[in-house]
């Protein structure tokens, strides 16, 4: 009798758990769709993923249920990312590309044996990227830091991440993902308004109502978003953390063996169609993908609180840029090659 009761209990929990999962899956399918306008809103997918979109914003994440609420958890990028490459075109020195640092924030860098410097001067503006810094020696390590106060929460953000260069790389890409309220968790609730479905969001995003669009509207756009989502998660789940960029630090998808050949002498992937497209590459140097370089990701050795104040920072910055008075001293990228025909026009 006891064994029978135990088996019934096990059967109940399995059935109950299965029913709960089915109900959950059904809710995802029922809610799937676009909420909002063509310029601002959120896509809910039937696998528990979402895409928040708006002006200069596109953030994927996961959502789930808690009673009548939807709980959203955006994919939060790492504060800093560092990629490194052995640049065989340089006999000496180091090149460092700073990406994302022009979006604002009090960010700092310290190369081995040097003082702490701001990446950009105070009140920097009129940015002309890419932002490439050149040094005369290879740093054995570098520290990236931030001293900031989040405007939406008042939270102090002061971190320093140390990276070692024990393999002697001489070309780096430093990425700063500025903290923003869009990466904070937020809540939502579904409500009915006559024959319409409305998603009410609350949290750091503010209180916003997004109307669900009809399933037969913008079908082509929905398919494009699904493909975008697919590519995002393929990239996110890629085992090998690398970037493929050209000499001006514009990134591209990984080169395939059908169209590219790896050249060990230059440590580059060279397009098999480079020669026939040379004229196009001359006119579009930033978008040229005929020579690609593979940068590997470096993990920080330590992460901790910044142990300095702004009073300890050098008076000079890595880059200086202003509008108006003093703009003649502003940084401008000079990495694009000038061909003979262009030099003739300048005379």
């Amino acid at each position: 009798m006891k064994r029978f009761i135990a088996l019934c209990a096990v059967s109940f929990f399995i059935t109950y758990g299965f029913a709960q999962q089915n109900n959950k899956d059904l809710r995802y399918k029922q809610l799937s769709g676009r909420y909002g306008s063509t310029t601002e809103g959120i896509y809910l997918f039937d696998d528990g993923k979402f895409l928040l979109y708006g002006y200069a914003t596109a953030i994927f994440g996961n959502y789930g249920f808690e009673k009548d609420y939807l709980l959203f958890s955006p994919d939060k990028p790492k504060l800093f990312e560092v990629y490194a490459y052995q640049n065989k075109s340089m006999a000496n020195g180091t090149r460092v590309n700073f990406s994302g640092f022009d979006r604002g924030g009090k960010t700092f860098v310290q190369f081995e044996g040097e003082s702490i410097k701001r990446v950009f001067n105070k009140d920097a503006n009129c940015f002309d990227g890419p932002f490439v810094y050149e040094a005369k020696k290879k740093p054995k390590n570098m520290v990236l830091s931030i001293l900031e106060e989040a405007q939406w929460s008042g939270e102090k953000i002061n971190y320093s991440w140390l990276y070692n260069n024990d393999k002697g790389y001489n070309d780096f890409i430093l990425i700063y993902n500025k903290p923003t309220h869009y990466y904070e968790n937020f809540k939502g609730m579904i409500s009915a308004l006559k024959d319409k479905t409305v998603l009410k969001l609350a949290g750091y995003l503010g209180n916003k109502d997004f109307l669900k669009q009809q399933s037969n509207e913008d079908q082509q756009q929905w398919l494009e978003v699904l493909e975008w989502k697919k590519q995002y998660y393929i990239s996110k789940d890629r085992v090998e953390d690398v970037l493929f960029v050209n000499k001006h630090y514009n990134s591209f998808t990984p080169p395939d063996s059908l169209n590219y050949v790896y050249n060990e002498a230059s440590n580059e992937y060279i397009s098999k169609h480079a020669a026939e497209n040379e004229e196009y590459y001359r006119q579009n140097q930033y978008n040229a993908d005929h020579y690609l370089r593979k940068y590997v990701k470096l993990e920080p050795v330590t992460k901790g609180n910044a142990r300095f104040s702004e009073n300890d920072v050098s008076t000079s910055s890595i880059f200086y840029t202003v509008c108006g008075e003093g703009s003649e001293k502003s940084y401008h990228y000079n990495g694009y090659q000038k061909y003979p025909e262009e030099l003739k026009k300048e005379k």
Side-chain angles (χ1 to χ4, degrees):
M1 184 65 179
K2 290 182 180 178
R3 186 167 180 268
F4 174 75
I5 293 173
L7 287 173
C8 286
V10 170
S11 175
F12 170 78
F13 285 118
I14 291 175
T15 304
Y16 178 71
F18 182 72
Q20 276 194 319
Q21 186 62 44
N22 276 352
N23 289 337
K24 187 177 178 181
D25 292 343
L26 181 60
R27 291 180 73 181
Y28 283 131
K29 290 179 180 178
Q30 290 174 335
L31 295 180
S32 177
R34 175 167 70 87
Y35 296 76
S37 65
T38 56
T39 57
E40 182 185 28
I42 187 168
Y43 284 92
L44 300 185
F45 304 105
D46 60 11
D47 59 355
K49 308 290 187 185
F50 75 86
L51 168 61
L52 182 70
Y53 66 92
Y55 175 71
T57 303
I59 297 173
F60 285 97
N62 298 283
Y63 74 98
F65 304 101
E66 184 181 88
K67 296 182 179 179
D68 295 330
Y69 287 98
L70 281 71
L71 304 183
F72 294 88
S73 300
D75 292 345
K76 185 179 292 189
K78 293 180 179 179
L79 184 62
F80 297 112
E81 297 175 77
V82 173
Y83 293 84
Y85 169 72
Q86 190 60 53
N87 191 333
K88 295 188 177 182
S89 68
M90 296 192 306
N92 300 299
T94 299
R95 282 166 57 92
V96 184
N97 176 59
F98 288 79
S99 176
F101 291 83
D102 55 319
R103 294 174 189 152
K106 298 177 182 178
T107 53
F108 308 84
V109 63
Q110 183 178 24
F111 296 108
E112 176 227 355
E114 298 182 8
S115 59
I116 304 169
K117 291 184 178 181
R118 284 178 174 270
V119 177
F120 283 98
N121 56 290
K122 292 181 181 180
D123 302 318
N125 47 31
C126 294
F127 299 103
D128 181 24
F131 303 100
V132 181
Y133 170 73
E134 297 187 13
K136 294 182 179 180
K137 64 177 183 178
K138 296 179 187 176
K140 293 181 180 179
N141 57 62
M142 66 184 76
V143 179
L144 295 176
S145 305
I146 179 173
L147 297 177
E148 189 68 279
E149 182 176 293
Q151 295 179 353
W152 68 93
S153 66
E155 177 189 357
K156 294 289 184 181
I157 305 173
N158 62 321
Y159 297 113
S160 286
W161 292 14
L162 169 67
Y163 295 84
N164 280 345
N165 182 26
D166 49 10
K167 293 187 178 179
Y169 292 113
N170 64 347
D171 201 334
F172 300 90
I173 298 174
L174 311 185
I175 300 174
Y176 167 57
N177 295 304
K178 183 182 179 181
T180 168
H181 64 282
Y182 289 111
Y183 294 122
E184 298 297 323
N185 295 343
F186 58 95
K187 287 184 177 182
M189 179 179 284
I190 296 292
S191 65
L193 182 64
K194 294 182 179 180
D195 58 342
K196 305 291 185 180
T197 302
V198 177
L199 173 57
K200 296 177 175 290
L201 296 184
Y204 288 115
L205 296 175
N207 296 317
K208 295 185 177 182
D209 293 354
F210 292 123
L211 181 67
K212 185 177 184 181
Q213 304 302 311
Q214 298 301 318
S215 58
N216 60 350
E217 288 185 8
D218 301 324
Q219 185 62 22
Q220 183 59 38
Q221 185 180 29
W222 174 255
L223 294 175
E224 290 173 0
V225 170
L226 288 178
E227 180 61 26
W228 184 13
K229 170 177 172 279
K230 175 185 174 182
Q231 295 304 321
Y232 169 80
Y233 282 102
I234 288 175
S235 175
K236 186 173 183 287
D237 297 336
R238 189 177 291 133
V239 176
E240 191 174 20
D241 286 317
V242 298
L243 285 180
F244 288 92
V245 306
N246 64 11
K247 66 183 296 184
H248 307 296
Y249 300 98
N250 190 11
S251 61
F252 297 88
T253 56
D256 60 79
S257 57
L258 292 176
N259 295 298
Y260 287 84
V261 176
Y262 175 68
N263 185 295
E264 187 173 357
S266 65
N267 193 21
E268 292 177 312
Y269 292 81
I270 303 175
S271 170
K272 295 178 181 179
H273 310 287
E276 61 193 74
N277 293 321
E278 181 61 30
E279 185 58 32
Y280 167 79
Y281 297 134
R282 284 191 179 197
Q283 302 299 320
N284 300 273
Q285 293 185 47
Y286 183 72
N287 295 311
D289 61 353
H290 54 326
Y291 293 95
L292 297 180
R293 300 167 174 180
K294 180 180 178 180
Y295 287 69
V296 297
K297 192 171 189 177
L298 302 184
E299 293 298 333
V301 178
T302 61
K303 294 181 180 180
N305 291 331
R307 300 181 181 276
F308 67 92
S309 70
E310 291 188 61
N311 294 330
D312 303 316
V313 177
S314 170
T315 55
S316 63
S317 58
I318 298 294
F319 302 104
Y320 177 85
T321 179
V322 294
C323 294
E325 185 178 353
S327 60
E328 69 279 0
K329 299 178 182 178
S330 292
Y331 168 86
H332 296 285
Y333 178 64
N334 61 1
Y336 298 123
Q337 183 176 347
K338 291 189 176 182
Y339 293 93
E341 59 270 25
E342 294 177 294
L343 294 172
K344 286 181 180 179
K345 290 180 182 179
E346 293 179 2
K347 291 182 179 181

